[in-house]
């Protein structure tokens, strides 16, 4: 396929979603996201992606991370516009990719994946989504389990346990708490804390017993901060809830206080484990009645034990339990307390198993159990109390109130006390507040207990009134507490403050909103007293008319909040100004009497005011000028309707219809604005997530740069340390070199002091002391060795003499260079040394010969210097075949050996003499070699 982005853009979105190039797919996802934000649910592109749901399966699980982020954003935009149908068609194929690839991906992709799950729940219903997520809690990869638990926590935090059923997830909590991965256990704790925010202690029976003690203690520590928080509220509404709320707001029925109370009620969730119903009647003994009639208490107890074993199940199938209930009621009067306790246990199990179906048996058993409260044994009273509580949970406060009020009048203090305690428990656990009539009856019973001589009964009566006060509020209870002493009121207030109740009384709003909305939609006349939407323009002010004026007023035309047109209304004005109340407008063809006094006079007088106002000069006064002295009787028969009245009614209907259309347009405009605001909110949320991701990336880069800088600083410190150590070592080596130089200078000065100077040696040998540079042309020579070991030449005076041995010595301590032949000029045959000047008289060989053979001061000649030492020259040959010697050492040896006879007492004089002899021989041999190579003297 082509790699040109322009060609990708020309492809349909479905082909871009399936393109092999990830960049093409990414561009398709981005284009789809923009497209879905501007289309309507009925557009063809939405229908196409609803039908081709497999496109979303591969999109949300795209192998490229960057493309997958855009695919999730496009899927969210699609769900927002496609609604419930799009969610139902795609959720079965997309949830797996959203969980496995999205929830475990980058932060932006994770946020988009969570939003996808939220939208799948919002647009349709949550149960299918939760069912799709539960299998991932058993996934083999721990990171997917942890991501799923985190997503569930976010879902329940946003929608609450009222909208999303928590039972399936709570039952799986023990399994994830036993996982080996610590991240999974941590996410399980977060989810459990979220459940506790909504359910409190009601959730523990579903899973608490399967946890370890350590886990329970850890969770209890996490629950402590949550207990102080108020009841949470649903943060995100389903589409169905949003529609219901909009309808309620349009009808104006739900106020802020009512909405808050409804949210509080929504937080109270009744969690009951789901059990399979069991048929227990088949297990009940057939001879139950006969054995209960036995004279032996043991037989009666045994048969009740068998019944208890049969009915002791969480849930049971409905059937005919009349015989069992009558037998238990009969056993409540048994003389043996063991029989009474077992019978109460049977009633408790049956009430819990049947639940609402137990209502029909309540009248048979509850009164008998309350009467048996006269028993003082704690085991019996506890069993009966538990049975009474189960009966209340199965029936309700209204069902048990009659028996309770009857027993509060009992003559037995024990019965009254236990009945009062049962009433207090029932009021605290009731989910619905009692009615005003029940409240009055319970308050009367409690006030009677306040006059009892027994302290426990007085306390029970005060607690009943306190719990009622907490439920019903000051409005309903202050009038019930009138006439009581302040001390008793204080006691009741203390019980009210300490009471914890589940129900709150709220006034009921009696306004048939659906009927009013239906009437406005169909164009029918709304019922009297119903609310109408406020018009766009305020109606002209109406004067306050006393209600008694309309006592006998006839039925008026349909009211409206808009004034009628001036022309149409002029013909509707009754002739002669305003008539008496009895002669107002009547319905066509009817002779109805005046409405009841409860109807609104303002609503009835409004049409007359609107119709007659434009035609009178005193229209500003309205009906204020009407005489109020007499109330004339209504006419026996209404006047026939006129054409003007019919035209006015038709005009009013047209105006109402136009008003209805205007209101609908406003509603549509508000809905569109709300959709735009929601889109802006989602966009801003996405931008916030992206900025957070960028911030996290920048923080990570900054951290990495800081660490790199610290590493470089560490390297720099080490380099500086190494440089300082090397510098110290160089300084020490420099000091050592200086020391060695000073030592060498000292040794040189000592050797110089013990040997003659160069000038003396030259004068001694009859040769001048030449300068640093000396150039000469050596004549040819013929060397031979004499018996005495002295090299002589044949007739060449230039070859003899000590001066020739010094021609390569630039100074007294200089060393003869072994590369002297390299400095020779092959054409001229002249050897230029590095440090010897040319001789003043280079051609005076005869004088040199004479000076060479001049006797020394010690009586020996220079010719016999080598023979005197008795040593042979130790020559060393370099790579060119030349002989080289250390002249500096030889020179010093020669200088020290010249006057050796005068200093033979010194041990170092002998050694200096020996060195001088060796140097002399070496110099002679070298001079001869150089002369031989340059053929000096052969031409003579």
């Amino acid at each position: 396929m082509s790699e040109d982005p322009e060609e990708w853009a020309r492809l349909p979105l479905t082909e871009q979603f399936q393109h092999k190039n990830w960049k093409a797919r990414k561009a398709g996802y981005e284009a789809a996201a923009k497209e879905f934000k501007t289309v309507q649910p009925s557009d063809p592109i939405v229908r196409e992606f609803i039908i081709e749901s497999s496109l979303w399966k591969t999109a949300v699980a795209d192998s490229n991370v960057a493309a997958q982020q855009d695919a999730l954003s496009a899927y969210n935009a699609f769900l927002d516009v496609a609604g419930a149908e799009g969610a139902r068609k795609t959720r079965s194929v997309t949830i797996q990719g959203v969980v496995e690839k999205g929830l475990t991906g980058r932060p932006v992709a994770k946020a988009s994946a969570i939003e996808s799950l939220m939208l799948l729940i919002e647009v349709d219903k949550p149960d299918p989504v939760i069912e799709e997520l539960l299998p991932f809690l058993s996934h083999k990869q721990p990171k997917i389990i942890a991501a799923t638990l985190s997503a569930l926590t976010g879902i329940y935090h946003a929608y609450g346990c009222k909208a999303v059923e928590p039972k399936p997830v709570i039952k799986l909590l023990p399994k994830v708490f036993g996982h080996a991965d610590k991240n999974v256990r941590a996410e399980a704790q977060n989810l459990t804390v979220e459940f506790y925010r909504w359910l409190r202690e009601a959730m523990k029976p579903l899973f608490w017993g399967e946890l370890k003690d350590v886990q329970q203690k850890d969770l209890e520590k996490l629950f402590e901060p949550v207990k102080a928080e108020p009841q949470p509220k649903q943060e995100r509404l389903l589409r169905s809830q949003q529609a219901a709320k909009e309808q309620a707001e349009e009808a104006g029925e739900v106020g802020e206080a009512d909405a808050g109370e409804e949210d509080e009620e929504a937080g109270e969730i009744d969690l009951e484990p789901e059990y399979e119903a069991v048929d227990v009647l088949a297990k009940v003994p057939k001879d139950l009645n006969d054995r209960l009639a036995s004279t032996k208490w043991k037989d009666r107890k045994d048969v009740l034990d068998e019944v208890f074993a049969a009915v002791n199940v969480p849930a049971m199938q409905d059937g005919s339990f009349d015989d069992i209930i009558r037998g238990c009621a009969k056993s409540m009067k048994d003389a043996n307390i063991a029989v009474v306790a077992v019978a109460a246990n049977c009633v408790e199990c049956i009430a819990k198993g049947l639940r609402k179906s137990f209502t029909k048996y309540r009248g048979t058993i509850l009164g008998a159990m309350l009467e048996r409260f006269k028993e003082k044994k704690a085991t019996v009273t506890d069993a009966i109390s538990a049975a009474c509580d189960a009966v209340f949970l199965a029936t309700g406060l209204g069902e048990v109130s009659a028996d309770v009020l009857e027993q509060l009048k009992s003559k037995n203090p024990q019965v009254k006390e236990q009945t009062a305690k049962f009433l207090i428990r029932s009021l605290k656990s009731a989910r619905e507040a009692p009615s005003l009539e029940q409240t009055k009856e319970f308050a009367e019973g409690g006030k009677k207990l306040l006059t009892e001589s027994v302290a426990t009964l007085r306390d029970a009566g005060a607690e009943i009134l306190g719990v009622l006060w907490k439920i019903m509020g000051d409005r309903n209870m202050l009038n019930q507490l009138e006439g009581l002493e302040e001390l008793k009121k204080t006691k009741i207030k203390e019980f009210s403050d300490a009471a914890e109740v589940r129900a709150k009384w709220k006034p009921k709003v009696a306004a048939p909103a659906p009927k009013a909305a239906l009437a406005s939609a169909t164009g029918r006349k709304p019922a009297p007293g119903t609310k109408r939407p406020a018009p766009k323009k305020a109606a002209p002010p109406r004067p306050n008319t006393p209600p008694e004026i309309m006592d006998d007023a006839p039925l008026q035309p349909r009211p409206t909040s808009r004034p009628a047109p001036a022309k149409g209304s002029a013909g509707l004005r009754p002739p002669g100004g305003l008539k008496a109340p009895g002669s107002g407008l009547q319905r066509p063809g009817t002779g109805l009497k005046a409405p009841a006094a409860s109807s609104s006079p303002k609503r009835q007088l409004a049409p007359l005011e609107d119709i007659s106002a434009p035609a009178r000069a005193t229209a500003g006064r309205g009906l204020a000028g009407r005489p109020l002295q007499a109330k004339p009787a209504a006419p026996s028969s209404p006047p026939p309707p006129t054409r003007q009245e019919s035209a006015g009614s038709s005009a009013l209907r047209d105006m109402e219809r136009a008003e209805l259309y205007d209101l609908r347009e406003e509603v549509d405009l508000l809905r569109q604005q709300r959709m735009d605001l929601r889109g802006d909110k989602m966009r801003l949320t996405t931008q916030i997530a992206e900025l957070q991701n960028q911030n996290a990336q920048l923080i990570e880069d900054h951290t990495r740069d800081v660490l790199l800088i610290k590493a470089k600083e560490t390297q720099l410190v080490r380099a500086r340390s190494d440089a300082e150590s090397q510098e110290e070592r160089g300084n020490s080596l420099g000091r050592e070199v200086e020391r060695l130089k000073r030592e060498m200078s000292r040794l040189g000065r000592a050797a110089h002091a013990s040997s003659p100077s160069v000038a003396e040696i030259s004068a001694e040998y009859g040769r001048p002391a030449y300068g640093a540079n000396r150039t000469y042309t050596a004549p040819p020579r013929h060397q031979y060795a004499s018996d005495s070991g002295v090299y002589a030449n044949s007739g060449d005076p230039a070859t003899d003499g000590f001066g020739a041995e010094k021609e390569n010595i630039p100074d007294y301590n200089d060393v003869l260079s072994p590369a002297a032949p390299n400095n020779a000029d092959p054409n001229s045959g002249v050897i230029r040394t590095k440090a010897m000047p040319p001789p003043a008289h280079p051609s005076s060989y005869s004088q040199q010969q004479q000076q060479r053979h001049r006797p020394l001061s010690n009586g020996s000649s220079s010719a016999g210097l080598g023979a005197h030492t008795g040593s042979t020259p130790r020559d060393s040959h370099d790579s060119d075949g030349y002989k080289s010697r250390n002249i500096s050492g030889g020179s010093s040896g020669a200088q020290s050996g010249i006057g050796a006879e005068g200093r033979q007492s010194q041990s170092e004089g002998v050694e200096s003499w020996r060195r001088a002899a060796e140097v002399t021989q070496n110099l002679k041999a070298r001079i001869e070699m150089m002369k031989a190579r340059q053929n000096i003297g052969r031409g003579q």
Side-chain angles (χ1 to χ4, degrees):
M1 294 185 180
S2 176
E3 300 293 333
D4 189 5
E6 296 182 356
E7 295 186 5
W8 298 340
R10 289 193 291 268
L11 294 175
L13 288 178
T14 55
E15 295 184 10
Q16 293 185 36
F17 272 46
Q18 298 174 348
H19 205 281
K20 291 184 179 180
N21 194 317
W22 70 270
K23 295 182 179 179
R25 296 196 302 273
K26 185 175 184 298
Y29 300 150
E30 294 175 352
K34 295 179 181 178
E35 187 75 17
F36 288 134
K37 290 180 180 179
T38 58
V39 299
Q40 297 297 327
S42 58
D43 288 352
I45 185 174
V46 179
R47 304 299 306 171
E48 183 179 4
F49 275 90
I50 290 177
I51 296 173
E52 297 291 338
S53 60
S54 59
L55 295 175
W56 294 115
K57 179 179 180 180
T58 56
V60 298
D62 200 296
S63 58
N64 186 270
V65 179
Q68 185 208 8
Q69 294 180 4
D70 294 327
L72 290 172
S73 300
Y75 184 56
N76 294 340
F78 166 76
L79 290 176
D80 191 26
V81 68
E85 186 178 3
R88 285 194 294 267
K89 292 289 186 180
T90 60
R91 66 190 172 204
S92 60
V93 297
T94 56
I95 289 182
Q96 181 178 2
V98 169
V99 174
E100 293 182 351
K101 301 284 289 186
L103 294 180
T104 58
R106 294 179 178 178
V108 177
K110 184 177 180 181
S112 300
I114 293 176
E115 181 64 21
S116 299
L117 297 177
M118 296 287 188
L119 285 173
L120 287 173
I121 293 175
E122 177 183 336
V123 300
D124 188 21
K125 52 185 179 180
D127 294 341
V129 179
I130 299 300
E131 291 177 2
E132 293 284 345
L133 291 177
L134 290 181
F136 291 101
L137 296 180
S138 303
H139 203 276
K140 61 182 180 180
Q141 295 185 13
K143 66 176 183 178
I144 294 181
I145 301 177
T148 305
L149 290 172
S150 178
L152 289 172
T153 304
I155 289 172
Y156 283 103
H157 183 81
Y159 293 105
C161 294
K162 185 70 174 180
V164 184
E165 179 63 36
K167 291 181 184 178
V169 182
I170 293 177
K171 292 179 181 179
L172 295 178
L173 286 179
K175 181 179 179 181
V176 293
F177 268 108
H179 200 278
D181 190 78
K182 63 178 182 180
N183 296 326
V184 174
R185 297 194 300 271
E187 293 295 339
Q189 286 184 347
N190 296 336
L191 180 58
T192 307
V193 172
E194 184 62 34
F195 280 138
Y196 190 81
R197 291 180 63 244
W198 294 91
L199 307 176
R200 302 297 179 177
E201 299 295 329
M203 73 173 186
K204 288 187 177 181
L206 295 177
F207 77 105
W208 195 257
E210 301 180 29
L211 299 180
K212 299 179 181 179
D213 295 338
V214 178
Q215 295 172 344
Q216 292 180 0
K217 292 180 181 179
D218 294 340
L219 289 175
E220 288 292 348
K221 293 179 181 178
L222 297 176
F223 292 162
E224 288 298 328
V226 181
K227 293 179 181 179
E229 297 178 359
Q231 188 67 29
K233 296 182 180 181
Q234 186 174 347
E235 298 179 357
R236 189 165 179 167
L237 300 178
L238 304 177
R239 291 287 173 89
S240 58
Q241 294 175 338
Q242 294 175 12
K245 185 177 181 181
E246 289 175 0
Q247 292 178 0
E249 289 177 353
E250 291 175 1
E253 294 180 0
V254 180
E256 296 181 358
D258 296 339
E261 292 176 358
E262 288 180 1
D263 292 339
E264 186 176 354
E265 289 182 357
E268 296 291 341
I269 302 169
D270 186 14
L271 283 180
E272 291 296 338
E274 298 177 356
Y275 300 104
E276 184 178 357
V278 181
D279 184 10
V280 299
L281 292 177
K283 301 178 182 179
V284 175
K286 303 299 181 182
D287 55 348
L288 173 63
N289 295 328
D290 296 338
R291 295 172 65 179
L292 285 176
S294 175
T295 57
K296 296 182 179 180
W297 71 269
K298 185 66 173 176
D299 296 339
R300 300 194 298 272
K301 182 178 181 301
D302 290 342
V303 70
L304 288 175
D305 287 336
E306 293 177 11
V307 173
F308 177 74
V311 300
N312 189 16
V313 293
M316 59 183 68
Q317 296 179 1
D318 193 9
S320 179
F321 288 85
D322 297 282
D323 293 340
I324 300 176
I325 298 299
R326 283 195 295 265
C328 292
K330 181 181 178 181
S331 299
M332 286 296 143
K333 300 178 181 180
D334 200 291
N336 191 281
I337 59 175
V339 176
V340 177
V342 177
N345 294 334
C346 293
V347 174
E348 179 185 1
C349 292
I350 295 173
K352 290 181 178 179
L354 293 178
R355 283 294 181 183
K356 299 300 181 183
S357 300
F358 187 81
T359 305
K360 54 188 175 182
Y361 308 116
R362 185 267 317 160
T364 306
I365 189 62
L366 184 58
M369 290 193 299
L370 294 176
E371 290 179 359
R372 189 62 185 188
F373 270 133
K374 63 184 180 181
E375 184 64 45
K376 295 183 179 180
K377 290 288 185 179
T379 54
V380 178
T381 55
D382 292 344
I384 297 176
S385 298
C388 292
D389 293 341
V391 171
F392 165 75
L393 293 175
T395 57
L397 188 61
E399 297 292 335
V400 303
S401 61
D403 294 326
V404 170
L405 292 173
E406 182 67 24
Q407 296 302 323
L408 285 177
K409 302 175 184 178
S410 176
K411 296 180 179 181
N412 192 318
Q414 186 74 14
V415 174
K416 288 193 289 187
E417 180 182 354
Q418 294 297 332
T419 303
K421 291 181 179 179
F422 169 59
L423 177 59
I424 292 169
R425 294 195 302 271
S426 301
L427 290 173
K428 289 181 177 180
S429 59
R431 294 186 177 276
E432 295 181 359
S435 63
L436 296 178
E437 293 78 6
Q438 292 175 350
T439 302
K440 184 177 180 180
E441 293 174 352
F442 294 148
E444 292 295 333
K447 287 190 289 186
K448 289 183 179 180
L449 292 177
L450 291 176
T451 60
E452 294 288 340
S453 59
V454 182
T456 55
L457 291 178
R458 294 196 300 269
D459 292 341
E463 189 171 359
I464 291 174
L465 294 173
V467 174
L468 284 174
W469 197 350
K470 186 65 172 289
I471 296 174
M472 304 303 293
D474 296 342
R475 180 184 301 179
N476 300 313
M477 286 301 298
L478 289 179
N479 57 350
Q480 300 292 339
L481 300 178
E482 290 181 358
L484 295 179
E485 301 175 1
E486 292 297 329
L487 184 60
K488 294 180 180 180
K489 285 184 179 180
T490 304
K491 188 71 172 179
I492 294 170
K493 184 61 177 176
E494 292 178 358
F495 281 112
S496 175
D497 295 338
E500 295 182 1
V501 297
R502 304 178 67 179
K504 287 287 187 179
W505 180 85
K506 62 179 180 178
K508 296 182 179 179
V509 180
K515 295 182 180 180
L518 181 60
S520 63
T522 58
R524 296 179 183 177
K525 177 183 176 181
T530 58
K531 288 187 176 182
R532 294 176 55 84
K536 289 189 292 186
K537 295 183 180 179
R542 301 187 180 97
N544 294 330
T545 304
E548 59 269 11
I549 297 178
M550 296 305 299
D551 289 344
D552 299 330
L555 187 63
Q556 301 296 330
R558 181 171 54 185
T560 180
S561 58
R562 289 177 177 267
K567 293 181 181 180
S569 62
L572 296 178
R573 182 176 60 83
L578 290 175
K579 294 183 179 182
S583 60
L585 293 177
Q586 302 290 332
R587 242 180 228 284
T590 60
L592 297 177
K593 295 182 180 181
S598 60
S599 61
S600 176
K602 184 184 292 186
R603 188 175 296 276
Q604 294 173 358
L605 290 175
L608 289 176
E609 176 189 346
D610 294 340
I611 293 171
S612 60
R616 293 178 57 87
T618 60
R621 297 181 62 191
L623 299 180
R626 234 168 71 169
L628 303 177
Q629 290 82 3
K631 296 182 180 180
S636 58
S637 62
T642 62
R643 183 177 301 176
Q644 289 83 359
E645 292 176 355
S646 301
S649 300
S650 177
L652 291 177
R653 285 195 297 270
D654 293 339
M655 294 175 62
E656 289 180 351
R657 189 178 295 108
E659 180 182 356
L660 177 61
Y661 290 155
D662 293 341
L663 292 176
R664 287 179 177 175
E665 291 178 359
E666 289 182 2
V667 170
D668 294 338
L669 180 61
L670 290 176
R671 288 180 178 175
Q672 184 64 31
Q673 291 178 356
R674 186 173 61 84
M675 294 292 291
D676 295 341
L677 291 176
R678 182 180 297 175
D680 295 340
K681 181 181 178 181
M682 294 177 59
R683 178 176 55 80
L684 294 175
T685 304
T686 305
Q687 291 180 359
I688 290 172
E690 293 177 356
L691 292 176
Q692 289 177 350
N693 186 24
Q694 294 178 3
N695 188 23
Q697 186 67 30
L698 292 175
I699 292 174
E700 183 179 356
D701 296 342
H702 175 69
T703 305
R704 185 172 60 254
D705 295 340
V706 169
L707 295 177
L708 184 61
I709 291 173
K710 290 183 178 180
K712 294 296 184 181
E713 289 179 353
T714 304
Q715 294 178 1
L716 181 61
V717 170
R718 291 180 179 176
R720 287 177 178 175
S721 177
D722 295 341
E724 291 176 358
S725 62
Q726 294 297 332
E727 185 177 0
E728 293 178 358
R729 182 182 179 187
N731 294 335
S732 62
L733 292 177
R735 290 191 296 270
E736 183 67 19
V737 169
E738 293 295 333
R739 187 186 64 81
L740 293 176
K741 285 183 179 181
R742 290 193 301 270
E743 186 67 20
M744 291 176 64
S745 300
R746 186 182 61 81
L747 294 176
R749 288 193 299 270
H752 181 70
S754 61
S755 61
S757 64
V758 177
E760 294 177 355
I761 295 175
S762 299
E764 193 75 23
Y765 283 87
R767 305 286 294 273
Y770 298 124
N773 294 323
R774 179 181 179 185
T775 304
Y776 70 96
T777 303
R781 55 167 296 202
H782 302 280
Q783 69 178 15
Y784 61 95
S786 62
D787 296 336
S788 61
V790 177
Y791 292 92
N793 60 37
S794 56
D796 189 1
T799 60
D800 298 331
F802 189 76
E805 299 171 358
K806 297 288 293 181
E807 60 185 358
N808 285 335
I809 301 175
D811 201 352
Y812 181 77
N813 292 323
D814 289 343
V815 180
L816 180 65
S817 174
N822 294 333
N823 298 326
D825 188 358
N827 298 323
S828 61
V830 178
I831 298 176
R832 295 185 180 275
T833 60
K834 182 176 181 181
M836 298 184 67
H841 304 283
S843 59
S844 57
Y845 295 104
S846 59
Q847 297 178 2
Q848 295 176 4
Q849 183 70 18
Q850 294 175 1
Q851 291 175 1
R852 179 182 180 188
H853 291 279
R854 186 173 54 86
L856 298 176
S857 59
N858 55 3
S860 62
S861 65
S862 62
L865 186 60
H868 180 77
T869 59
S871 63
T872 60
R874 292 174 292 181
D875 298 333
S876 60
H877 299 273
D878 55 6
S879 59
D880 294 334
Y882 299 103
K883 297 178 182 179
S884 60
R885 300 295 293 172
N886 193 333
I887 304 303
S888 63
S891 301
S892 61
Q895 293 175 7
S896 61
I898 293 175
E901 290 183 359
R903 294 184 299 273
Q904 293 183 356
S905 61
Q906 300 178 0
S907 60
E908 59 186 29
V910 178
E911 183 67 22
S912 299
W913 178 260
R914 217 171 18 249
R915 289 180 182 178
E918 292 178 359
V919 169
T920 302
Q921 293 177 2
N922 291 338
L923 290 175
K924 286 181 180 181
R926 186 173 183 81
I927 291 171
E928 295 297 332
M929 183 187 297
M930 293 171 62
K931 290 180 179 181
R933 289 180 62 85
Q934 296 179 6
N935 297 322
I936 297 175
R938 289 184 181 181
Q940 297 177 358

